[in-house]
Amino acid sequence: MGHSSLDKIIALQRNPANIRNLCILAHVDHGKTTLADCLVASNGIISSRLAGKLRYLDSREDEQIRGITMKSSAISLHYKNGDQEYLLNLIDSPGHVDFSSEVSTAVRLCDGAIVVVDAVEGVCPQTQVVLRQAWLENIRPVLVINKIDRLITELKLTSQEAYTHLQKMLEQVNAVTGTLFTSKVLEERAEKEKEEEKEGETSTGDQVYDWSAGLEEADDSHLYFSPDQGNVVFASAIDGWGFSIQQFAHIYSQRMGIKAEVLLRTLWGDFYLNAKAKRIMKGAQAKGKKPLFVQLVLDNIWSLYDAVVTRRDKEKVEKVVTSLGVKVMARDSRHSDPKVLLTAICSQWLPVSQAILSMVCEKLPSPLDMAAERVEKLMSVGVQRFDSLPEQTQDLKRAFLQCSSGENAPVIVFVSKMFAVDTKTLPQNRQRPLTQEEIAQRRELARQRHAERMAADQTAAESHKDITHSGNTPQQCQPEGLSIAKIESLTLKDSKPEEEEEQRETFIAFARVYSGVVKKGQRVFVLGPKYDPAQGLSKLSERCNASDCVPEVPHLSCCSMESIYLLMGRELEELEEVPAGNVLGIGGLEECILKSATLSTSPACPPFIPLNFEATPIVRVAIEPKHPSEMPKLVRGMRLLNQADPCAEVLIQETGEHVLVTAGEVHLQRCLDDLRYLFSKIEISASKPIIPFRETVVRPPKVDMVNEEVGKQQKVAIIHQAKEEALQGHSSGTLHVDPTGLVTLTTPNRLATISVRAIPLPQEVTCLLESSSELIRTLEQVNMSLREGKNLDISLGTLEAITGLKAQLESQLQGRKWRNTVERIWAFGPRRYGPNVLLNNVEGYERPSVWQCLSRSNNVGEARAQATILRDFDNSIISGFQLATLSGPMCEEPLMGVCFSIERWDIQSSVPPQNQDSLKEDSMSHQALAESKLEGGSETSARAEGTAAVPSQAKFKPEAASAGCHGPVSGQLIAAMKEACRHAFQAQPQRLMAAMYTCEIMATAEVLGRVYGVLGKREGRVLHEEMKEGTDMFIIKAVLPVAESFGFADEIRKRTSGLASPQLVFSHWEVISSDPYWVPTTEEEYLHFGEKADSANQALKYMNAVRRRKGLYVEEKIVEHAEKQRTLSKNK
Ligand SMILES: Nc1nc2c(ncn2[C@@H]2O[C@H](COP(=O)(O)OP(=O)(O)OP(=O)(O)O)[C@@H](O)[C@H]2O)c(=O)[nH]1
Ligand SMILES: [Mg+2]
């Protein structure tokens, strides 16, 4: 990078009004990086001839080979728009679903986005996702419709058809933004109403709102994409052209003498030119006239392509060239590839960089225009309301809005990811060209050294002569030995740092300054995601400096920003300081930041809300080094990988396996490559992907495997069988299963008895719980702090969301069986927010509900007063439930969609035996199950006497005697609860749930059959198929089990010769309908499936595969009835 442009960028960084921070977002392969190339070429960083071919921002080798972007990277460009100079910090993001976390990291640092859509493919799944992400982060998008050339050369549309096609596409894009916007307006309106209601029902009591009132009031015109709004550019990045209708309005207003404003309004839309009247009229479609856009814009482009590419008409080309006033070099016009000539003409006539950059400068906001709403959202820690934050923290909002670079402005920086670069390529270590003086100096030095060496050689030769002359061998040896040792030590010294150096990857933080000036070497506070500014402020003074000696505050540390860089795509440029409003790279933070963080000089600054990732990491593999001795290197490498990737997770399982969790197959491949060649630099081997399953229970099926109705008798028989099996497993009498599936279990010390029943949750409830897991987690946090007696100011939105969840649950859990269940929910699990429910059906046992935060003012005191012995052990029950739901009995995978209802719970306090008499009073029974009460009673006395050292009783029930050594009751209760849940689960028909991907495949008619073939082979299910309008493409939407998905994309690509490439997105969990424990019981079933019936049972296969992987017992008979194999030879 030249000095002049670096200086220019540094100067521009100081003027936030002329800075634009933007990213390029799109579905995979819609041409983001190609477009970025054109913009980069406009700054002379790459040659304009190579623009589009180089893909400059895809700097990794695998990105170039695969042709897809995997990491987002930034580059700073300058652009002169009119008389103003602008600085554009541009971030190119990946479009593949596997890397959507990289998109989140890019979007957070920007104020605007260029959304690119392929003119042929139109709105694709990732297009919707990125539009949503832009929405969630409150950044403003502009639209580029790319690859218009494909409409001409591939689809061979006429200009009129192309216009209709483009119109439709624009509608599609606007439909997506429309839904986002409507939901937001309605939400805001509801919030406003609520607040007004709260403020006082007296004054505004009788105001009536129409449901659409909010929608009409809000000005949404800037939210929709429309060429006449100036936020749409039509382009072909590969051919280097692009235009907005402003450009054409400008051209034609001069040529035709029509006002530019009039043209601006009419160039896009149903208008036509009436040549006779010399007027622009409405209603082109109705009158069958050419719309203005076709006549004045598209026709020109179409005829240019026709002349240059299709017909290669030299004369016409010359005419066009002279009429457009562009210059074409002779070698371009003589080139065998007509595209070269086309690019040469187009890039001068309608340069794409100019169209896009001027739109960006005019339509996207500068850092100064940051909306107050966005700031509040960024600063709202956890569930707290913005106005409940400390005053100093609220004051910081002003700093955000001012985006000031003054000396007194607090420094606020957000780091959205860490990326690794080779230490050698850092600007500090890069070789710079030598000046003349330095060259002369070096020459002189070399000359001196040479002279010295010559002199030394001479003296050495002389001394050698002396030694040989004297013939004294020991003397001769000594210096030699010495010198060898010296050399060794020297090489040792040399090689050691070199090795370290070689391994070193330097981590650079990808960040943005929101306020203040970041200076090299400055010390700042690093605020972890859980840092609470109120707590920080109570321990530190507001003026406290990060370089002072700071007392310990949780989630707060100090760090110095050792170096500061300008991000220039593949290169970095070292800077001394960066003012507010810019994107930058910061070195020296790898010790204090894992993936993302907030940095500030003020302890009042809250941590920014976490990035929202759209991708779910789901593909896991176990990794080990090829040579076991290299384990430490692998561990280090995995640590670095974890830091360098926003989405990858690295875990060490209890089994000691090192597990890598990634978002998909492509992401996995990239992570493995990174480990191999970058971070560990050793050979590694990865296991086959570990596929996650869920375990669940279902209602007893009504038909058997051959579709015959299951008779009542038989059903009972099955349950009896299950019961027997369950009882066989437990020889002691502590377990009891009744025919309805109620499991009663007593702890080994006979102090507590629990009865649990497992009930399948309705599917929509499971879905709801699964999708609201974040909310449930928040709810759990709130409950936790309520239990600790803290008072939290929960934001209105959160409270509303919780109320909404409760109402939804209530409406979905209808019917006699579920009456009042929602109020009685005890906990969710596993991990306290999973999709399983624990129900309190114990008669007479009251505990604070999980919804207590909704009505907490009147509930807390009451709940405390009720603390009983049962309440003391409440947590043990929850823990047991969490353990049971974390790993089920089928193959130790988490449960899903199961409701455990506790119907009875007895406990006796574990008082020492001298209090024998009081035992009975402590004993509490909440259900009058006569027999079990009797049983419980006798057990109690047995236990009491046993511990009071009455030997005869102890013999009678030896386990009761050792109650004391069974440990505290809570531990036993946890284990018993876990066991009870497992048995209750097993008493119901069990099923496995498989993770499912959805995929959208775009394929032409001729390869459609093959796509279906591959889908069918992999147990995929086609949801729907439609033809894309105006093309010969079909869009197939299908679901596919994750277990069958490995190699799917490759297979499809191979079978269709690269014409179709699917993208797999995790969508949901689905119950596998077959019963893994099923064995044929009726005659028909025997006939159908044979005796072993193991051929068709997919669920059993999955289950056994998981069990085998986990080293669990697998019941498998390879040969059941062995028969001697006979060879049927001819001779017999
Ligand atoms: N016909 C045509 N092809 C284009 C155009 N722009 C890009 N392409 C091609 O589309 C393919 C994908 O381009 P990229 O720029 O890598 O797409 P991307 O959006 O960066 O892809 P990801 O980063 O992987 O999401 C390349 O083969 C380009 O040559 C265009 O305007 N017309
Ligand atoms: Mg790309």
PDB file of all heavy atoms in Angstrom, residues 693 890 991-992 1072-1077 1096-1105:
ATOM      1  N   PHE A 693     -28.485 -37.692  19.030  1.00  0.00           N
ATOM      2  CA  PHE A 693     -29.866 -38.179  19.041  1.00  0.00           C
ATOM      3  C   PHE A 693     -30.547 -37.665  20.291  1.00  0.00           C
ATOM      4  O   PHE A 693     -29.911 -37.158  21.200  1.00  0.00           O
ATOM      5  CB  PHE A 693     -29.885 -39.712  19.042  1.00  0.00           C
ATOM      6  CG  PHE A 693     -29.532 -40.301  17.709  1.00  0.00           C
ATOM      7  CD1 PHE A 693     -28.255 -40.747  17.439  1.00  0.00           C
ATOM      8  CD2 PHE A 693     -30.494 -40.385  16.715  1.00  0.00           C
ATOM      9  CE1 PHE A 693     -27.929 -41.265  16.192  1.00  0.00           C
ATOM     10  CE2 PHE A 693     -30.175 -40.908  15.472  1.00  0.00           C
ATOM     11  CZ  PHE A 693     -28.894 -41.349  15.212  1.00  0.00           C
ATOM     12  N   MET A 890     -31.842 -45.280  26.893  1.00  0.00           N
ATOM     13  CA  MET A 890     -31.678 -45.996  25.632  1.00  0.00           C
ATOM     14  C   MET A 890     -30.225 -46.012  25.185  1.00  0.00           C
ATOM     15  O   MET A 890     -29.661 -47.064  24.945  1.00  0.00           O
ATOM     16  CB  MET A 890     -32.540 -45.355  24.535  1.00  0.00           C
ATOM     17  CG  MET A 890     -34.021 -45.486  24.803  1.00  0.00           C
ATOM     18  SD  MET A 890     -34.980 -44.487  23.682  1.00  0.00           S
ATOM     19  CE  MET A 890     -35.071 -45.562  22.295  1.00  0.00           C
ATOM     20  N   ARG A 991     -38.827 -44.097  22.118  1.00  0.00           N
ATOM     21  CA  ARG A 991     -38.439 -43.828  20.733  1.00  0.00           C
ATOM     22  C   ARG A 991     -37.171 -42.982  20.691  1.00  0.00           C
ATOM     23  O   ARG A 991     -36.886 -42.242  21.628  1.00  0.00           O
ATOM     24  CB  ARG A 991     -39.537 -43.055  20.007  1.00  0.00           C
ATOM     25  CG  ARG A 991     -40.800 -43.813  19.754  1.00  0.00           C
ATOM     26  CD  ARG A 991     -40.604 -44.901  18.722  1.00  0.00           C
ATOM     27  NE  ARG A 991     -41.850 -45.572  18.428  1.00  0.00           N
ATOM     28  CZ  ARG A 991     -42.352 -46.571  19.140  1.00  0.00           C
ATOM     29  NH1 ARG A 991     -41.703 -47.028  20.192  1.00  0.00           N
ATOM     30  NH2 ARG A 991     -43.496 -47.135  18.801  1.00  0.00           N
ATOM     31  N   LEU A 992     -36.483 -43.096  19.569  1.00  0.00           N
ATOM     32  CA  LEU A 992     -35.299 -42.275  19.342  1.00  0.00           C
ATOM     33  C   LEU A 992     -35.717 -41.080  18.483  1.00  0.00           C
ATOM     34  O   LEU A 992     -36.598 -41.212  17.643  1.00  0.00           O
ATOM     35  CB  LEU A 992     -34.287 -43.123  18.576  1.00  0.00           C
ATOM     36  CG  LEU A 992     -32.824 -42.985  18.906  1.00  0.00           C
ATOM     37  CD1 LEU A 992     -32.600 -43.162  20.389  1.00  0.00           C
ATOM     38  CD2 LEU A 992     -32.021 -44.018  18.137  1.00  0.00           C
ATOM     39  N   ILE A1072     -38.212 -40.961  15.302  1.00  0.00           N
ATOM     40  CA  ILE A1072     -38.123 -42.063  14.348  1.00  0.00           C
ATOM     41  C   ILE A1072     -39.231 -43.035  14.720  1.00  0.00           C
ATOM     42  O   ILE A1072     -39.308 -43.507  15.859  1.00  0.00           O
ATOM     43  CB  ILE A1072     -36.765 -42.771  14.445  1.00  0.00           C
ATOM     44  CG1 ILE A1072     -35.639 -41.758  14.231  1.00  0.00           C
ATOM     45  CG2 ILE A1072     -36.664 -43.907  13.452  1.00  0.00           C
ATOM     46  CD1 ILE A1072     -34.265 -42.322  14.445  1.00  0.00           C
ATOM     47  N   SER A1073     -40.089 -43.304  13.737  1.00  0.00           N
ATOM     48  CA  SER A1073     -41.334 -43.980  14.122  1.00  0.00           C
ATOM     49  C   SER A1073     -41.104 -45.409  14.588  1.00  0.00           C
ATOM     50  O   SER A1073     -41.868 -45.932  15.385  1.00  0.00           O
ATOM     51  CB  SER A1073     -42.316 -43.942  12.967  1.00  0.00           C
ATOM     52  OG  SER A1073     -41.716 -44.571  11.874  1.00  0.00           O
ATOM     53  N   SER A1074     -40.027 -46.046  14.135  1.00  0.00           N
ATOM     54  CA  SER A1074     -39.902 -47.450  14.537  1.00  0.00           C
ATOM     55  C   SER A1074     -39.380 -47.576  15.968  1.00  0.00           C
ATOM     56  O   SER A1074     -38.594 -46.763  16.436  1.00  0.00           O
ATOM     57  CB  SER A1074     -38.996 -48.190  13.561  1.00  0.00           C
ATOM     58  OG  SER A1074     -37.776 -47.511  13.458  1.00  0.00           O
ATOM     59  N   ASP A1075     -39.853 -48.642  16.628  1.00  0.00           N
ATOM     60  CA  ASP A1075     -39.510 -48.870  18.020  1.00  0.00           C
ATOM     61  C   ASP A1075     -38.233 -49.695  18.070  1.00  0.00           C
ATOM     62  O   ASP A1075     -38.172 -50.798  17.544  1.00  0.00           O
ATOM     63  CB  ASP A1075     -40.675 -49.642  18.666  1.00  0.00           C
ATOM     64  CG  ASP A1075     -40.376 -50.016  20.096  1.00  0.00           C
ATOM     65  OD1 ASP A1075     -39.295 -49.639  20.586  1.00  0.00           O
ATOM     66  OD2 ASP A1075     -41.215 -50.679  20.709  1.00  0.00           O
ATOM     67  N   PRO A1076     -37.179 -49.178  18.688  1.00  0.00           N
ATOM     68  CA  PRO A1076     -35.921 -49.924  18.687  1.00  0.00           C
ATOM     69  C   PRO A1076     -36.010 -51.244  19.449  1.00  0.00           C
ATOM     70  O   PRO A1076     -35.198 -52.136  19.221  1.00  0.00           O
ATOM     71  CB  PRO A1076     -34.932 -48.964  19.329  1.00  0.00           C
ATOM     72  CG  PRO A1076     -35.744 -47.939  20.013  1.00  0.00           C
ATOM     73  CD  PRO A1076     -37.056 -47.863  19.326  1.00  0.00           C
ATOM     74  N   TYR A1077     -36.973 -51.357  20.366  1.00  0.00           N
ATOM     75  CA  TYR A1077     -37.049 -52.582  21.166  1.00  0.00           C
ATOM     76  C   TYR A1077     -38.068 -53.560  20.613  1.00  0.00           C
ATOM     77  O   TYR A1077     -38.448 -54.521  21.255  1.00  0.00           O
ATOM     78  CB  TYR A1077     -37.425 -52.249  22.616  1.00  0.00           C
ATOM     79  CG  TYR A1077     -36.359 -51.454  23.299  1.00  0.00           C
ATOM     80  CD1 TYR A1077     -36.570 -50.126  23.654  1.00  0.00           C
ATOM     81  CD2 TYR A1077     -35.124 -52.028  23.580  1.00  0.00           C
ATOM     82  CE1 TYR A1077     -35.575 -49.391  24.273  1.00  0.00           C
ATOM     83  CE2 TYR A1077     -34.129 -51.301  24.198  1.00  0.00           C
ATOM     84  CZ  TYR A1077     -34.370 -49.983  24.542  1.00  0.00           C
ATOM     85  OH  TYR A1077     -33.378 -49.269  25.150  1.00  0.00           O
ATOM     86  N   ALA A1096     -35.054 -54.368   9.305  1.00  0.00           N
ATOM     87  CA  ALA A1096     -35.736 -53.122   8.984  1.00  0.00           C
ATOM     88  C   ALA A1096     -35.614 -52.063  10.070  1.00  0.00           C
ATOM     89  O   ALA A1096     -36.014 -50.935   9.884  1.00  0.00           O
ATOM     90  CB  ALA A1096     -37.204 -53.408   8.728  1.00  0.00           C
ATOM     91  N   ASN A1097     -35.058 -52.447  11.200  1.00  0.00           N
ATOM     92  CA  ASN A1097     -35.154 -51.535  12.328  1.00  0.00           C
ATOM     93  C   ASN A1097     -34.036 -50.491  12.339  1.00  0.00           C
ATOM     94  O   ASN A1097     -32.970 -50.683  12.923  1.00  0.00           O
ATOM     95  CB  ASN A1097     -35.138 -52.347  13.613  1.00  0.00           C
ATOM     96  CG  ASN A1097     -35.725 -51.566  14.740  1.00  0.00           C
ATOM     97  OD1 ASN A1097     -35.733 -50.337  14.710  1.00  0.00           O
ATOM     98  ND2 ASN A1097     -36.230 -52.258  15.735  1.00  0.00           N
ATOM     99  N   GLN A1098     -34.330 -49.347  11.691  1.00  0.00           N
ATOM    100  CA  GLN A1098     -33.348 -48.271  11.590  1.00  0.00           C
ATOM    101  C   GLN A1098     -33.027 -47.716  12.975  1.00  0.00           C
ATOM    102  O   GLN A1098     -31.872 -47.441  13.293  1.00  0.00           O
ATOM    103  CB  GLN A1098     -33.919 -47.172  10.695  1.00  0.00           C
ATOM    104  CG  GLN A1098     -32.916 -46.156  10.243  1.00  0.00           C
ATOM    105  CD  GLN A1098     -31.920 -46.736   9.267  1.00  0.00           C
ATOM    106  OE1 GLN A1098     -32.216 -47.713   8.592  1.00  0.00           O
ATOM    107  NE2 GLN A1098     -30.728 -46.177   9.233  1.00  0.00           N
ATOM    108  N   ALA A1099     -34.052 -47.576  13.803  1.00  0.00           N
ATOM    109  CA  ALA A1099     -33.855 -46.980  15.127  1.00  0.00           C
ATOM    110  C   ALA A1099     -32.886 -47.828  15.947  1.00  0.00           C
ATOM    111  O   ALA A1099     -32.021 -47.311  16.649  1.00  0.00           O
ATOM    112  CB  ALA A1099     -35.191 -46.851  15.841  1.00  0.00           C
ATOM    113  N   LEU A1100     -33.047 -49.159  15.837  1.00  0.00           N
ATOM    114  CA  LEU A1100     -32.166 -50.051  16.582  1.00  0.00           C
ATOM    115  C   LEU A1100     -30.721 -49.880  16.101  1.00  0.00           C
ATOM    116  O   LEU A1100     -29.785 -49.850  16.894  1.00  0.00           O
ATOM    117  CB  LEU A1100     -32.619 -51.495  16.391  1.00  0.00           C
ATOM    118  CG  LEU A1100     -31.791 -52.533  17.143  1.00  0.00           C
ATOM    119  CD1 LEU A1100     -31.993 -52.392  18.636  1.00  0.00           C
ATOM    120  CD2 LEU A1100     -32.138 -53.940  16.690  1.00  0.00           C
ATOM    121  N   LYS A1101     -30.584 -49.720  14.796  1.00  0.00           N
ATOM    122  CA  LYS A1101     -29.236 -49.570  14.247  1.00  0.00           C
ATOM    123  C   LYS A1101     -28.583 -48.304  14.797  1.00  0.00           C
ATOM    124  O   LYS A1101     -27.440 -48.309  15.224  1.00  0.00           O
ATOM    125  CB  LYS A1101     -29.306 -49.473  12.724  1.00  0.00           C
ATOM    126  CG  LYS A1101     -29.196 -50.827  12.077  1.00  0.00           C
ATOM    127  CD  LYS A1101     -29.189 -50.688  10.574  1.00  0.00           C
ATOM    128  CE  LYS A1101     -29.815 -51.919   9.964  1.00  0.00           C
ATOM    129  NZ  LYS A1101     -30.369 -51.676   8.653  1.00  0.00           N
ATOM    130  N   TYR A1102     -29.345 -47.215  14.772  1.00  0.00           N
ATOM    131  CA  TYR A1102     -28.809 -45.957  15.303  1.00  0.00           C
ATOM    132  C   TYR A1102     -28.446 -46.135  16.775  1.00  0.00           C
ATOM    133  O   TYR A1102     -27.395 -45.712  17.231  1.00  0.00           O
ATOM    134  CB  TYR A1102     -29.842 -44.833  15.178  1.00  0.00           C
ATOM    135  CG  TYR A1102     -30.062 -44.326  13.769  1.00  0.00           C
ATOM    136  CD1 TYR A1102     -31.313 -43.848  13.387  1.00  0.00           C
ATOM    137  CD2 TYR A1102     -29.035 -44.293  12.849  1.00  0.00           C
ATOM    138  CE1 TYR A1102     -31.537 -43.364  12.114  1.00  0.00           C
ATOM    139  CE2 TYR A1102     -29.248 -43.812  11.568  1.00  0.00           C
ATOM    140  CZ  TYR A1102     -30.504 -43.348  11.204  1.00  0.00           C
ATOM    141  OH  TYR A1102     -30.711 -42.862   9.950  1.00  0.00           O
ATOM    142  N   MET A1103     -29.368 -46.762  17.506  1.00  0.00           N
ATOM    143  CA  MET A1103     -29.178 -46.868  18.951  1.00  0.00           C
ATOM    144  C   MET A1103     -27.934 -47.694  19.255  1.00  0.00           C
ATOM    145  O   MET A1103     -27.102 -47.316  20.078  1.00  0.00           O
ATOM    146  CB  MET A1103     -30.404 -47.507  19.583  1.00  0.00           C
ATOM    147  CG  MET A1103     -30.406 -47.434  21.085  1.00  0.00           C
ATOM    148  SD  MET A1103     -31.903 -48.113  21.761  1.00  0.00           S
ATOM    149  CE  MET A1103     -31.452 -49.815  21.926  1.00  0.00           C
ATOM    150  N   ASN A1104     -27.811 -48.807  18.557  1.00  0.00           N
ATOM    151  CA  ASN A1104     -26.654 -49.650  18.818  1.00  0.00           C
ATOM    152  C   ASN A1104     -25.357 -48.959  18.416  1.00  0.00           C
ATOM    153  O   ASN A1104     -24.331 -49.143  19.073  1.00  0.00           O
ATOM    154  CB  ASN A1104     -26.796 -50.977  18.077  1.00  0.00           C
ATOM    155  CG  ASN A1104     -27.735 -51.904  18.826  1.00  0.00           C
ATOM    156  OD1 ASN A1104     -28.038 -51.655  19.997  1.00  0.00           O
ATOM    157  ND2 ASN A1104     -28.212 -52.931  18.172  1.00  0.00           N
ATOM    158  N   ALA A1105     -25.420 -48.189  17.337  1.00  0.00           N
ATOM    159  CA  ALA A1105     -24.203 -47.474  16.925  1.00  0.00           C
ATOM    160  C   ALA A1105     -23.763 -46.522  18.027  1.00  0.00           C
ATOM    161  O   ALA A1105     -22.572 -46.430  18.349  1.00  0.00           O
ATOM    162  CB  ALA A1105     -24.454 -46.717  15.631  1.00  0.00           C
TER     163      ALA A1105
END
